[in-house]
Amino acid sequence: MDLSLRWLKDYVDIDVPIKELVSGLTISGSKVECFEEEGAFLSNVVVGKVLEIERHPDSDHMFTTQIDVGEGEPVQIVTGAQNVRKGDFVPVAKHKSTVLHEGKQVKITKGKLRGVASNGMLCSLAELGLTINDFPYAIEDGIFILGDDVDRTIGMDIRKAIGFDDTRIEFEITSNRPDCLSVTGLARETAATFGLPFKLKKPEYKGIDGKASDYVDIKIENTKLCPRYMGGIVKNVKIKPSPRWVRERLRASGVRPINNLVDITNLVMLEYGSPMHAFDLRYVEGGKIRIRNAKPGEKITTLDGVERELSEEMLVIADEKKPVAVAGVMGGEYSGIMEDTNTVVFESASFDGASVRMTAKKLGMRTDASARYEKGLDPENTYHALMRAFELVEQLGAGEVVREYTDEDYSDKTPKSVEFDAKWINDFLGTDIPEEDMIKYLNSLELEVKDGRVYAPYFRIDIGCKSDIAEEVARLYGYNRIPSTIIRGVAQAQLTPKQVFERKIRRNMLALGASECETFSFISPKFFDKINIPADSKLRNTVLISNPLGEDTSVMRTSIIPSMCEVLARNINYRNKAATLFELGNEYIPVEDEVLPQEPVRLCIGLYDTEEPFKFFELKGMIEELLDKSGLEDYEIARPGENTVFAEAVSFHPGRAAVIKTADGKEIGIFGELAPAVSENYKIKERLYIAKILIPELMESCVEVKTYKPLPKFPASVRDLSVVCDESLPAAEIEKAVKKAVGNILESVTLFDVYTGSQIEKGKKSISYSITMRSADGTLTDEQTDKAMDKVFRALEELGAVLRS
């Protein structure tokens, strides 16, 4: 929102330095992006009067002029303009002045033109940074001859003389404050911020006898999307340029002046924040206006000359036969004001914000009107906007206003109110603001405090709960004055168990030497090809993005592994010798008959080392440490089976991958070396090691509090065991059998040797374990340990493992 400082002063007598003004407004909640002075690029350009003009002695198209610029002696300037006459008042760029040329600043200095001295330049509109819309009586390609609507004091700075010295302030308005998308809204904020009175005169008009209903029949057919529609008639319209003060305010607000009728609708929109439209009554067929939904296949050519197809959920303004405007967005081709327009219908209406936004988005057109409507405007504002438009019509002599207007009003008139509790507000803010001060702040914003409640004016649609009232108090009291304290009277925020667990995972991974990374959740479907996922895999059932930036970001990932592979490959291509990374991110799993997918959290670990390529056991060790620190007490590491829950198992090397199983057999993770074909797909030779752990499932299997056992009172009994078995038999299977056979007295079983060689039969391997047994009830006897070992021997024989002789 661009605000004219000159326009603001019509409503608030503010007289502070501009930096103090914008700083105060920002602190009170109306964020200022920047400010700039109009015409700041002009320097040393003044009002001059042509005293003499004669032809150049050595040119057929140039003239030598004597210009009075208020310096005593006339200034001689050579010009090629054909529209300058003796006695004209013109903008004069003196020696060492700055003007615009083709949009760029240029320096003007004295010199000679065909042997005749020229001590400056006479300026056109373009050289002043203006257009024919700012001064319609000027000649676009000639010197700007100053009219009697400007100050023609000789020697005066041209910016001040023509009103091109306003200050434009740009605001960033939040979506919950549509009232601040107007001059009056920002003026209210300024008045409240600086403790000044807000001056808003009630619009008044005289009008002529008659009723709008005698000219046009207005009916709302969809009162949900259009709760209020007002229409008024202006007869005997006189289309002409607007007066200078109107053009100045529009220009300073970033709107191009057009003619008096169009300028009135734009001026009211900027002043009151309520968009308006004026229809030429000649093109309203049947003298009827219907606010209805578009019909299937209906089309409209909008004011920008583009034909647009409408859909049934869109709201339109229609006459007896066709749509004449898209409600809240833009008028139709023949609904605008033309040079021969005689009678117009002024529209002031309220439309549903969500409907306007969806319509504008589907049609691919966002206008000043739609930007305001989509934020939600109160229907009451339509009345004030129409009254102001009628007042301006009479003030500018633009036509005759028919006194009685049509008002189709289905809006809810119940005033919005919120409980007022000064103690709660202070507890909420951590302040000790007196109740009287709170009421003063609220009253300055036109919020009435009565009978223990705060009543909001119609334009404050954002007031809905006690926190909103606290915010109003806080911003006028001054955020910078509020001490840093813990909020009183409100339960202190706490992390959820899920957040606590995820933070523990992050801390443990960082402690293990991994660096955290974060990747996009939307990926390319080609990522599945890179990790060799089959065409019929469930992973390819993805959530499609309706408006992707491109194919590379067109689906939501169902596996986090491709994202980690991309990061590792990029590091290798950047010639980083080694990397150990992790990411805690979401996967997006579609659910049948559900609109939204599931979004489970996954931990992905990725590592490689160009100098020490074999990293399987390092990754395994990291995972075991992580599981131990996380509180997983009983788990098993095994080879992936054919029925593994991990569809990504096909991406791993068949002999160098493992899954993590909980005590009840549930798979919660997979890790290992990726298949060589996957590395080739990424055009790298290095071995990539990846782990994926299901965080919700892991959290469910972990204990929250670890139970520590007391130090043992009795000595341990240790037995070493060496067996020979098939090379294909996993060491984990042997450990599992030992644990089951020994039972409660087992303290630990540790693998300390694996041997294959000439002393062992081909296809076999020798594995040696140290078995530690201990009882909490007393010292173990040889008989107890021998009995336990006998059970171990029998269990191992069932696995095909025999004692090594």
Side-chain angles (χ1 to χ4, degrees), residues 58-123:
D58 195 25
S59 173
D60 295 334
H61 66 278
M62 289 196 291
F63 300 88
T64 302
T65 63
Q66 301 297 322
I67 310 293
D68 182 1
V69 292
E71 295 179 350
E73 292 294 323
V75 175
Q76 179 171 292
I77 295 176
V78 177
T79 179
Q82 305 297 309
N83 66 318
V84 178
R85 300 290 181 268
K86 183 178 179 180
D88 286 344
F89 290 86
V90 293
V92 180
K94 299 192 293 184
H95 175 54
K96 293 185 178 180
S97 61
T98 306
V99 297
L100 281 188
H101 178 68
E102 296 181 353
K104 297 180 180 180
Q105 286 184 253
V106 294
K107 199 82 172 176
I108 303 299
T109 56
K110 61 184 179 181
K112 288 187 177 182
L113 292 174
R114 295 211 176 174
V116 175
S118 181
N119 297 308
M121 182 181 76
L122 307 185
C123 300

Side-chain angles (χ1 to χ4, degrees), residues 370-431:
S370 69
R372 285 169 168 79
Y373 276 125
E374 68 186 27
K375 291 174 175 62
L377 298 177
D378 191 276
E380 182 66 22
N381 206 33
T382 61
Y383 168 80
H384 301 281
L386 186 63
M387 297 303 103
R388 176 59 171 156
F390 286 164
E391 180 182 58
L392 287 169
V393 168
E394 293 186 342
Q395 186 178 343
L396 304 187
E400 298 173 341
V401 180
V402 174
R403 188 173 295 121
E404 294 188 29
Y405 49 84
T406 297
D407 185 2
E408 285 278 295
D409 189 1
Y410 299 90
S411 61
D412 183 6
K413 302 297 183 183
T414 306
K416 298 187 291 291
S417 68
V418 176
E419 178 189 353
F420 177 68
D421 186 341
K423 181 180 182 305
W424 184 92
I425 292 173
N426 274 323
D427 288 342
F428 183 72
L429 297 177
T431 56

Side-chain angles (χ1 to χ4, degrees), residues 12 14 16 20-25 189-196 476:
V12 186
I14 186 75
V16 298
E20 184 178 334
L21 172 65
V22 299
S23 176
L25 287 171
E189 291 295 310
T190 304
T193 299
F194 292 91
L196 300 171
L476 290 188

